[in-house]
Every structure is written in structure tokens, then in C-alpha cells.
Amino acid sequence: MDFSKESIFTEARSHKKFDGQPLTTDQLRSIYELAKYAPTANNSCPLRIVFVNTADSMTRLAECAMDFNQERTRSAGSAAILAYDVAFYEQFTTLAPHMKQPPSHAEWNEERLTRFALANSNMQAGFFIAAARALGFDCGPMGGFHSAEVEADFFDSPTWKFNCVILLGNGDADALHPRAARLSFEEACRVR
Ligand SMILES: Cc1cc2nc3c(=O)[nH]c(=O)nc-3n(C[C@H](O)[C@H](O)[C@H](O)COP(=O)(O)O)c2cc1C
């Protein structure tokens, strides 16, 4: 296990080519067991994950990818499809027993539920990538998929909505373009 800041941040890349080796189910579980501690509003935990871990399922996932992502997806042995559950509030009895009066999310319209679930599941998605990297796995985050196809073929609940795919495994560093710049502290931050 490697929790160095280099392996999680400064030396980690978004990989686009993998060696096809799948993770074990225990390894997939170990990623979730770290990622689940991400903070979310009201501890709502709206992230849902479908792990794709057979050659047949990876082939089908690649078919759901936009053209530019198909070869990239085919190169990986494992992937996590990250979804958000717009019915996240149904778990509040378990997840937020501290709330005397849980907010009435059931009365929210779909747009408000989506915004809340997406924002909080993206917080969890960042932790998911950090967790996978901390355990030594490379990640390839990708949004370019046909979401209706992914939802039809991989999800069994109508309240789970597609967000993105994280390819998992051993990335090929030689296939990467040079790291692109990031905004400087002065550009992106203000200290008041
Ligand atoms: C939400 C999200 C969606 C992305 N979608 C794609 C994609 O569809 N295809 C792709 O090749 N890379 C995709 N990327 C990867 C980004 O291009 C990459 O993270 C960014 O350029 C930084 O690269 P680096 O981490 O190697 O520095 C996506 C990344 C994120 C976080």
C-alpha cells in the first residue's frame, strides 16, 4: 500500500492505455472500503458503483463508449461505472440517524435531486480515484460514454444515473502525452 503524495497526486496520471489485467474482487472491494469514507452532505452517500470485471462485460462497456474512448476501454481488464442515486434519501435512516428532522428530499423535484446527488457523488468520485491510487492501481477517468446504453445494460435500478467510468489496473505510462499545466495558485485561488 502506498499513501505517498507522489503516488496519489503529483506522479499519478489519467491513464488511457492499460495492460488488460483485471483486478480481483477483493481488490475492487478494498477500493470501495476506503472511498466510502468521503464526506457528503448529510452523509447522503449518493455514489453507486457497478464494477465491470469480465472480458465479456468490458467488451460491452467499450461498445457503450464514444468512438474516441473505445480502444482505451478495451485495453482495460476492469472498470468502475460511477453512478449517482437520485433516491439517495431513502437511506437516511441508516446514514443520518443524527438528523432529528431529515430534510424532505422526497418532495424535491428531479432537477434539485440530480444537482445534489451529482455534486456529492462527485466528491465521492474524487475519493474513489485517490483510494485506488493509494492501493497502487492506475485510474482512467472517462465521461465520454452513451449514458442511456450504459444505464440499460449495466444498471438494475431506474434511480441510478450514469456519471462516468474509471478504468482500473496497470496503466501504460509510455502511452501518455506530457502532463498538461494546471492553473497556478494565483490564478485559481484567493486569500482574503
Ligand atoms: C469527469 C472526467 C471525465 C473525463 N473524460 C474523459 C474522456 O471521455 N476520455 C478521456 O480520454 N479522458 C477523459 N478524462 C481524463 C482527463 O482528460 C484528464 O483527467 C485530464 O486531462 C488530466 O490528465 P492528468 O491526470 O494525466 O494530468 C476525464 C476526466 C474526468 C475527471
Side-chain angles (χ1 to χ4, degrees):
M1 210 181 285
D2 182 353
F3 286 101
S4 72
K5 64 182 185 301
E6 288 81 10
S7 68
I8 301 173
F9 296 101
T10 55
E11 286 172 14
R13 295 293 310 275
S14 299
H15 283 270
K16 297 174 193 300
K17 189 175 177 198
F18 289 79
D19 68 1
Q21 191 66 33
L23 276 64
T24 65
T25 306
D26 281 349
Q27 288 171 327
L28 298 175
R29 179 181 290 275
S30 68
I31 299 172
Y32 180 74
E33 293 296 341
L34 287 182
K36 72 182 183 184
Y37 291 108
T40 55
N42 298 132
N43 196 32
S44 50
C45 303
L47 175 70
R48 304 290 181 267
I49 303 168
V50 175
F51 285 108
V52 182
N53 213 34
T54 68
D56 283 354
S57 300
M58 284 303 297
T59 300
R60 180 59 198 129
L61 183 61
E63 290 167 357
C64 297
M66 291 178 185
D67 289 350
F68 55 94
N69 281 334
Q70 288 192 1
E71 193 58 39
R72 297 166 186 170
T73 306
R74 259 193 293 276
S75 77
S78 300
I81 307 174
L82 302 193
Y84 55 95
D85 189 354
V86 290
F88 60 88
Y89 51 83
E90 289 175 356
Q91 307 292 334
F92 269 152
T93 321
T94 310
L95 295 176
H98 52 280
M99 280 195 295
K100 295 245 169 356
Q101 261 197 318
S104 50
H105 292 100
E107 290 155 29
W108 287 10
N109 66 29
E110 196 178 328
E111 195 239 317
R112 196 172 170 196
L113 286 170
T114 298
R115 206 161 3 104
F116 185 98
L118 195 50
N120 283 284
S121 70
N122 274 332
M123 180 75 71
Q124 294 178 279
F127 271 63
F128 182 95
I129 291 172
R133 289 172 171 175
L135 292 169
F137 305 111
D138 291 318
C139 293
M142 295 186 175
F145 283 76
H146 299 286
S147 52
E149 285 184 41
V150 177
E151 288 172 0
D153 282 17
F154 289 95
F155 295 178
D156 54 19
S157 166
T159 65
W160 290 27
K161 307 295 178 187
F162 175 75
N163 184 4
C164 64
V165 166
I166 314 285
L167 303 179
L168 294 166
N170 303 309
D172 179 354
D174 293 337
L176 290 167
H177 56 65
R179 170 87 95 178
R182 298 300 201 258
L183 296 179
S184 68
F185 181 86
E186 287 69 26
E187 290 169 310
C189 310
R190 301 288 179 271
V191 182
R192 301 280 188 230

